[in-house]
Amino acid sequence: MGVLAAGTVWLATGTADAATSTVSVSINAGQSLATVGSGLVGANVAIWDGMLADAQTSTLLRNAAVSFVRYPGGSYGDIYHWQTNTAPGGYVAPNTDFDHYMSMVRTAGAQPIVIANYGSGTPQEAADWVRYANVTKGYGVKYWEIGTNFLQYATAMKAVDPTIKIGVVLTTPGYWPDGIVGSGDSADWNDTVMSVVKNTADFGIFHYYPSSSGTSEAAQLAVPPTLASTVSQFRADMAKYATNNPGIFITETNSGAPPSDTQMQALWAADMYLTAAENGVANVDWWNVRNGAGATSTDVTGATDYGDGGIISSGSGAEPPAGTPFATYYGIQMVSHVAGPGDTMVRAASGDAKLTVHAAKRANGNLDVLLLNKDPNNTYQVNLSYSGYSPASSVTVDSFVNRGTGIVTTSQGTATSQTVPPYSLVTVHLHPGGSQSQSPSASTSASRSPSASPSSSRPPSSPPPATGACTATYRTVNAWPGGFQGEITVTAGAAPINGWTTTWTLPGGQSISQVWNGALSTSGSTVTVRNVTWNASLDARASTTFGFLANGTPTTPTIMCASP
């Protein structure tokens, strides 16, 4: 640390060491808010992104537990013709056609969301896209987005594949142009559209860019909690005409104002995603994976902002090398350290608006609490109390600090006392009293879609592994005709390990279609899954869990585990 002047010291976060404030946080694990769906964390990709199909794209998205990827890119959906891979009036980069996109999405272990061209396209063109995707290629693209002429498009598309889900785009309650009545209409957009669509839509869509240029960072960070009222009004707008309880997707979002890629956006993203989860939103897609450099400036902490609304650098302008994650990336990655599919968001409250809190009860009984310090200068000493849950005192903590280069895992503090640095995200992983496990936990949801959090629950039936080695145990989480979800727990031996590899042999009729929390490779019937960056290191006796989806009938494989 370098001394600026008497009594003023710069912290590792790059902010002056101001006074430490004490704040009380309460967690009511017995008050459930909503169950997290299989596709909460999503992101947009665009056909003008020349690195869309690059291997680093799928790797980074997989490591951030991005479970939905939307294509071909916002308003470009209105001009994109998938058959010719052209967008008249726009730019289409090489290797960004639909097949390249699908290859990337599958490698990332995510699901696609596709915008049908309802601007310059036709219902027949959209129907042909469904046929190519799901009949010709067998991609199984389930989610599609339509704006205008909804009934014509939906009818044509579902005639090809009646199992697809189609969402209708509506305006965002409380934001322009909500409430405006168009020429020739008798009501505003949402009422006009829903009075025609009614129960035809499987889900409703709005875009969320709540701030405007010139809005301060403090004002932007105060916005995510207000998403609850926006979602409530949006749900009411649909319920006036639809009785089928359609889901809610937010297929485009960021704060809407600079700084675009520094710590403020990381805080905003994590807060917004988890607020959405608490209010039953099924999917939120960040704009964008890569956006390109804009005007360079500095944020309130002096960090350089490149004006890039993406989560990964494209290497343009003065940006860091291509493929470098921005702070926003780690804010989104932190979401999966708090909650995954099948987990339950529970009530959490803070005594200070600048120290925001979210909590999730994991399906395996563990509890994860995210503390967001929105003050760029002030450290918070947080005193935590619990109802409906009795945690063990020892905890594992994941932190992402201002100007950090990744999420760091430590064993700092206790279940009732945590120090949260300025402009930082701190996730506390708790276990029921008496648990000896001290590593992050993962959902053991019966969902057929990926959860992406580290795990620490050691299977009771697992024998102690040898010193320096690791063992792997398997369980079938869920099964359905023609497929199943499996989960494998890797446990370190009597000594810590840094890196692990599991291998097993698939019987005839089985194939792996998707893996999360691990890196998959196959050779014939041999499957190999290695650690990803954030779950490579395990303390002695600690565990981590990865999951997969497979075709075929479940069996109980013999799994070999090795550590360098």
Side-chain angles (χ1 to χ4, degrees), residues 196-404:
V196 175
V197 170
K198 297 181 180 177
N199 287 333
T200 309
D202 298 294
F203 55 98
I205 295 167
F206 70 89
H207 299 162
Y208 192 59
Y209 299 103
S211 299
S212 58
S213 181
T215 306
S216 70
E217 292 184 39
Q220 292 184 66
L221 288 171
V223 169
T226 69
L227 177 63
S229 61
T230 302
V231 171
S232 178
Q233 184 58 55
F234 187 81
R235 186 174 280 116
D237 286 350
M238 292 191 296
K240 287 166 63 177
Y241 305 96
T243 59
N244 62 334
N245 192 28
I248 298 175
F249 283 35
I250 303 173
T251 59
E252 289 184 24
T253 192
N254 61 47
S255 78
S260 302
D261 49 57
T262 60
Q263 191 74 353
M264 190 283 291
Q265 290 287 358
L267 291 159
W268 195 94
D271 197 12
M272 189 274 307
Y273 274 94
L274 290 170
T275 300
E278 291 166 348
N279 289 276
V281 175
N283 164 253
V284 179
D285 303 317
W286 191 263
W287 184 271
N288 196 9
V289 170
R290 293 186 190 83
N291 214 47
T296 301
S297 61
T298 55
D299 71 3
V300 295
T301 72
T304 300
D305 178 68
Y306 300 97
D308 193 323
I311 61 175
I312 304 170
S313 172
S314 62
S316 59
E319 288 187 346
T324 302
F326 290 121
T328 316
Y329 173 90
Y330 296 111
I332 292 173
Q333 186 181 47
M334 187 68 87
V335 173
S336 68
H337 290 222
V338 183
D343 296 334
T344 303
M345 302 303 300
V346 298
R347 182 71 64 187
S350 168
D352 192 318
K354 289 187 177 180
L355 193 287
T356 300
V357 58
H358 299 279
K361 184 84 172 286
R362 297 290 196 167
N364 63 1
N366 293 334
L367 183 71
D368 289 340
V369 178
L370 174 63
L371 304 170
L372 296 163
N373 185 349
K374 298 178 180 178
D375 191 322
N377 302 308
N378 196 36
T379 295
Y380 280 97
Q381 180 60 45
V382 182
N383 297 323
L384 299 102
S385 61
Y386 304 87
S387 57
Y389 195 83
S390 298
S393 178
S394 59
V395 296
T396 300
V397 174
D398 293 334
S399 301
F400 181 63
V401 299
N402 189 28
R403 307 197 201 191

Side-chain angles (χ1 to χ4, degrees), residues 425-467:
L425 301 86
V426 171
T427 296
V428 186
H429 300 285
L430 303 123
H431 308 276
S435 171
Q436 300 301 309
S437 179
Q438 297 184 14
S439 297
S441 67
S443 167
T444 54
S445 162
S447 166
R448 285 162 53 176
S449 297
S451 171
S453 306
S455 170
S456 64
S457 298
R458 181 179 170 189
S461 60
S462 176
T467 301

Side-chain angles (χ1 to χ4, degrees), residues 414-425:
T414 66
T416 58
S417 179
Q418 288 291 324
T419 301
V420 186
Y423 251 31
S424 69
L425 301 86

